[in-house]
Amino acid sequence: MTYAAASSYNASYQTVVPVDVYQEVVADLQEAQSMIRSLENQNREMWKENQQLQQEVNRFLGSVNQFQRSPDGSVTVPAQRVASVAPAPQPAEITDRDEVDSDEMSIWNIIITVLCIIAVGASVGYSAFRPSK
């Protein structure tokens, strides 16, 4: 193909994109950028809330760890937190029934803990990905 034939071939098949298409693309890009900025702001806010929740959970767990359970099942609080703790009545003997109750109670504690974890996870997931209004 000669140079003249090649240039006429390119000239006849050049595509022309209307300005409207460029304007739509620019508008879409601007909308995407504003959405990204909004999501970044929400991400920052959620990160701050997450940090606060982690601090509260750590404080709560620290408080729980300060409590001590004695062999008779009563809970004692360290002396620096409370001046005196009323003594719990001492059981005469631990029977098989008491051991079964203790096992059932620990199972219930596990079940309740798992349900609480699921509820917190669901609420955090919903708040993170809730439907737009």
Side-chain angles (χ1 to χ4, degrees):
M1 203 185 275
T2 64
Y3 177 72
S7 64
S8 67
Y9 175 79
N10 287 337
S12 64
Y13 287 103
Q14 287 182 349
T15 59
V16 177
V17 179
V19 174
D20 294 346
V21 173
Y22 287 116
Q23 290 173 344
E24 287 178 22
V25 169
V26 167
D28 288 344
L29 288 174
Q30 288 174 343
E31 183 180 337
Q33 285 177 335
S34 66
M35 184 182 298
I36 288 171
R37 283 188 208 107
S38 172
L39 290 173
E40 286 174 342
N41 289 336
Q42 288 178 358
N43 189 23
R44 268 189 235 105
E45 290 173 12
M46 290 179 69
W47 185 83
K48 289 177 185 177
E49 289 176 9
N50 185 20
Q51 294 299 316
Q52 291 173 347
L53 286 173
Q54 285 180 351
Q55 290 174 355
E56 290 178 18
V57 167
N58 288 336
R59 272 188 260 136
F60 174 75
L61 292 177
S63 299
V64 169
N65 287 336
Q66 289 180 355
F67 292 109
Q68 298 173 351
R69 186 170 294 274
S70 63
D72 65 356
S74 63
V75 175
T76 58
V77 180
Q80 73 266 18
R81 301 278 283 168
V82 176
S84 65
V85 176
Q90 299 293 324
E93 289 184 16
I94 297 178
T95 62
D96 291 339
R97 179 66 184 151
D98 291 334
E99 291 176 6
V100 171
D101 288 342
S102 175
D103 290 339
E104 288 176 359
M105 189 61 160
S106 66
I107 291 171
W108 279 109
N109 286 340
I110 292 170
I111 291 171
I112 290 171
T113 302
V114 168
L115 290 175
C116 287
I117 290 171
I118 291 171
V120 168
S123 63
V124 169
Y126 178 76
S127 65
F129 302 106
R130 66 175 164 241
S132 61
K133 296 177 182 176

